Each structure stands twice: as structure tokens, then as C-alpha cells.
Amino acid sequence: MATSPFTTSLLTLRASSPSSYSKLSFIRASSRRDLFKGVALQALPLLLLRPSLAREVEVGSFLPPSPSDPSFVLFKASPKDTPALRAGNVQPYQFILPPTWKQARVANILSGNYCQPKCAEPWVEVKFEDEKQGKVQVVASPLIRLTNKPNATIEDIGSPEKVIASLGPFVTGNTYDPDELLETEVEKLGDQTYYKYLLETPYALTGTHNLAKATAKGNTLVLFVASANDKQWQASQKTLKAMLDSFLL
């Protein structure tokens, strides 16, 4: 194979002056690093922007007003929204939220996308948030994690205290202490029973105040969680409670 004049010159330089050759090699390597660094820096803004796209649009721009209260909009989950709904592991659910809230992206590892249709651990269905008011999320858990009885109702699983003891960490984002539970309520709507919770969670990752509502249907228990820090709670606890009350499966 023929050697180019440029390569021949480099070989000659290397033989006659090793130190000069080393300097030239360093300059060439640095230039390549600078080139790659420039390309990476140009691509970085695009990578950083991608996650925020899911939160750019207020839900009021694409969700219909709630028939019960036009100051809210109504979110009705459908198979296009989550992997579990597409797999038939979760029945469609709905709830209201203020039109200024924005939908947040759920990380793939938390969405259950990788384990459907037979997930062994709970996963996050959807998340919505507002910087001034708080955030809500829907968490689903396979019944097999809570009971061996197929198609169990939430009463079959146990008391409100027993259910929240199993699901508390998915409300707080880290740990659950029974002393954090302030109130429980059992609500019956038709054939469906819901357990409702008020928690004060000073060490929770989700927020110092949490509301939760749980029910079971099919082979899944579904948990609606509304969270806020102290400042958000003072301004929006009535809004968060209205959202919680509206949750239906």
C-alpha cells in the first residue's frame, strides 16, 4: 500500500525529533477532542429540552371541562395513555384537575412498560403537577402482591390501615410510618369501595402533606395520590381534596 507524503513526513519527523512529533500528536488529539466537545455541547440543549416538552402544555388546552365543575377539566384515562391500560391490566379511571396543571413524563422504568402484562411490583400510571399547587399521580399494584384471592375487592385485602401499610411507601416516595396517618375514610360508590387517607409526612419525598384514595378492580389495586409541600398545602388543599374526591375507577 502506498504511503502518502503527509504520512511519510510524519514518520521522518518522528525518527529525527521525537519531542516535536509528540507535540504535534498532542495538538492533533486536542483538536479532535475540541471538535467532539463542540458537537456534544451543541446537542446538549436538545437533550435537556426533551423531558420538559411533556410539561409545556397546560391540560386545559386539550382536556374538556368537567361536567360537574367547569372550573376543572376532566382526565379520562384510555389505552393510548399507559402501557397497563393497553395491556388490559388496569381498568379506565378518571379524575378532575385545574386547567393550568401540566402532565409530567413518567420514566420508563417506573411506568411498568418493561414488565406488562405481568408486573410483580407497583408502577406509576400518570403524573400531573403545578409548581404552586402540588402534584398528583396514579399508582397501580398487582393484586398478587397484596392477596392470593383473584379479583379481590379492597375489603378482601384488609382494613384501610392494612392497605396503607403495604402501599404507604408509594405514597411518600420513601418510607411510611403509621404515626403519619391522620385520617381514614371508607367510601362506597355503587359496587366499588374506596379507602381514603389523609397523611402528614414530614420526611416524604413527595411532600409534607399527602392525600390518597385506593380501590381494587380486576387483578389490580389502583391508588390516587395528591401531594404538596407546606406552602402548596396552605394555598391548595381544597383543590387537592376535590381532585381526590373525583377519582373514580
Side-chain angles (χ1 to χ4, degrees):
M1 181 181 295
T3 304
S4 69
F6 179 72
T7 302
T8 302
S9 298
L10 285 178
L11 292 174
T12 302
L13 178 63
R14 183 178 185 178
S16 60
S17 179
S19 60
S20 298
Y21 177 82
S22 298
K23 291 179 181 179
L24 180 59
S25 298
F26 174 77
I27 293 171
R28 292 176 67 202
S30 298
S31 298
R32 285 196 298 270
R33 285 196 297 269
D34 290 341
L35 174 62
F36 292 137
K37 184 186 296 184
V39 172
L41 289 175
Q42 289 178 10
L44 184 59
L46 296 176
L47 294 173
L48 293 176
L49 283 173
R50 279 185 181 178
S52 64
L53 294 178
R55 299 190 292 270
E56 285 300 317
V57 181
E58 295 181 351
V59 294
S61 66
F62 61 89
L63 292 180
S66 167
S68 60
D69 187 345
S71 65
F72 290 88
V73 294
L74 179 63
F75 174 77
K76 284 187 174 183
S78 67
K80 68 180 178 62
D81 292 309
T82 74
L85 282 162
R86 288 191 289 274
N89 272 353
V90 174
Q91 300 298 312
Y93 48 85
Q94 66 179 54
F95 54 90
I96 62 172
L97 63 162
T100 55
W101 281 48
K102 298 172 183 177
Q103 187 165 8
R105 294 184 64 179
V106 178
N108 191 58
I109 194 171
L110 299 177
S111 71
N113 185 43
Y114 66 95
C115 62
Q116 298 296 340
K118 293 184 178 181
C119 293
E121 293 296 325
W123 64 89
V124 177
E125 281 279 292
V126 293
K127 295 173 67 175
F128 295 86
E129 60 189 16
D130 181 274
E131 290 184 2
K132 295 181 179 179
Q133 294 186 303
K135 53 194 171 187
V136 299
Q137 62 178 334
V138 175
V139 179
S141 172
L143 275 186
I144 192 66
R145 187 178 181 274
L146 304 168
T147 178
N148 292 325
K149 183 177 180 179
N151 298 311
T153 65
I154 197 164
E155 296 103 324
D156 292 330
I157 298 171
S159 66
E161 291 77 13
K162 180 180 178 181
V163 170
I164 196 64
S166 297
L167 298 176
F170 300 98
V171 174
T172 64
N174 46 12
T175 60
Y176 168 72
D177 186 329
D179 291 337
E180 296 172 335
L181 181 60
L182 301 182
E183 297 178 14
T184 64
E185 180 184 343
V186 178
E187 180 181 50
K188 290 185 179 289
L189 297 173
D191 295 331
Q192 201 70 25
T193 300
Y194 298 84
Y195 290 169
K196 297 169 66 176
Y197 304 94
L198 170 63
L199 303 100
E200 188 172 289
T201 51
Y203 307 110
L205 295 178
T206 51
T208 49
H209 301 271
N210 275 284
L211 300 168
K213 186 175 181 178
T215 192
K217 197 171 188 177
N219 59 1
T220 308
L221 184 142
V222 180
L223 180 73
F224 181 89
V225 182
S227 309
N229 59 36
D230 289 334
K231 184 176 181 180
Q232 293 168 335
W233 183 251
Q234 291 177 3
S236 62
Q237 59 177 294
K238 289 183 179 179
T239 298
L240 296 174
K241 288 180 178 178
M243 297 166 70
L244 182 89
D245 290 339
S246 73
F247 177 76
L248 296 173
L249 180 64

